[in-house]
Amino acid sequence: MNAARTLATAARVLRQLRHDPRSIALMLLVPCVMLVLLRYVFDGSAGTFDSIGASLLGIFPLITMFLVTSIATLRERTSGTLERLLAMPLGKSDLIGGYALAFGTLAVIQSVLATTLALWGLGLDVTGSAWLLLLVALLDALLGTALGLFVSAFAASEFQAVQFMPAVIFPQLLLCGLFTPRDQMHPVLEAISNVLPMSYAVDGMNEVLRHTDLTATYVRDALIVAGCAVLVLTLGAATLRRRTT
């Protein structure tokens, strides 16, 4: 990986996104809107919002980053942009790293906005540090970016990219422990949930919700989510095709 080429790729992607206000609004504003909606759905039960708001603070950014990243990357591939770039002295790692850096920058902004809104705008009550909550939200958004880059290699159209969402995101959403504790699921489903990164994202958020100090479980969960993001990005670079078929 060449740092200069990676940074140049990231700068190019950010310049293009600057001219796409709808995508920027989807990435930055939709998670905030969803949190506001959730808060007032449970307007008469603030405790319910406190119990699931932290988990959804990580899930919403993951979903939006997955959706926008997969479609934006696929659009460049189907238009021939990626093929032309890879015909230049630009490695696959440079390309994937540049995209990850560009969307990761937006993921940082998104996570800061959503966490700030949840804690100080909507009154989300957590026992632990707001910085630990922000870290998991950021890692979740980066994981969504990595997953979006990865699945874009297997979709032939933007519609197919959207179709990957039920296959990649929804099973994790159902098995992550948001709706019921994972240890109360059927043993087969519990075993599956133990290998899904969103499960550890939710566990990490719950650690911040319940504990004042940094715990070993939180560190483990954060490292697993970060490791999954790096692994998926590596797979994305390995499966990136130089020619569009």
Side-chain angles (χ1 to χ4, degrees), residues 31-167:
C32 295
V33 172
M34 295 299 291
L35 285 170
V36 171
L37 179 62
L38 181 71
R39 169 63 182 85
Y40 290 104
V41 165
F42 297 109
D43 191 39
S45 179
T48 303
F49 176 71
D50 289 337
S51 64
I52 68 172
S55 298
L56 292 176
L57 183 59
I59 291 174
F60 286 158
L62 188 154
I63 293 174
T64 55
M65 291 306 297
F66 170 84
L67 186 61
V68 173
T69 304
S70 60
I71 292 176
T73 307
L74 180 65
R75 188 179 301 164
E76 292 224 315
R77 181 163 64 82
T78 54
S79 67
T81 301
L82 291 185
E83 187 173 331
R84 291 192 295 271
L85 288 172
L86 289 173
M88 301 167 62
L90 184 70
K92 292 182 179 181
S93 297
D94 298 325
L95 189 63
I96 290 294
Y99 275 82
L101 183 59
F103 286 105
T105 300
L106 292 173
V108 171
I109 300 173
Q110 179 196 74
S111 300
V112 170
L113 288 175
T115 303
T116 301
L117 174 66
L119 292 176
W120 291 284
L122 302 177
L124 178 66
D125 185 19
V126 296
T127 303
S129 168
W131 292 106
L132 296 179
L133 199 69
L134 174 61
L135 176 60
V136 180
L138 175 58
L139 291 175
D140 291 343
L142 294 175
L143 176 61
T145 298
L147 289 170
L149 288 170
F150 177 65
V151 303
S152 67
F154 302 97
S157 66
E158 293 181 18
F159 179 68
Q160 285 188 6
V162 175
Q163 287 179 315
F164 272 106
M165 192 170 181

Side-chain angles (χ1 to χ4, degrees), residues 204-221:
M205 288 295 192
N206 288 333
E207 286 294 303
V208 181
L209 187 66
R210 298 166 184 163
H211 301 280
T212 57
D213 300 322
L214 180 68
T215 65
T217 301
Y218 175 89
V219 174
R220 180 207 65 184
D221 294 336

Side-chain angles (χ1 to χ4, degrees), residues 178-219:
L178 179 64
F179 301 104
T180 187
R182 292 193 290 126
D183 57 7
Q184 296 181 16
M185 297 178 184
H186 188 280
V188 173
L189 296 181
E190 182 184 358
I192 295 174
S193 74
N194 288 335
V195 299
L196 298 177
M198 192 183 290
S199 300
Y200 297 95
V202 171
D203 288 348
M205 288 295 192
N206 288 333
E207 286 294 303
V208 181
L209 187 66
R210 298 166 184 163
H211 301 280
T212 57
D213 300 322
L214 180 68
T215 65
T217 301
Y218 175 89
V219 174

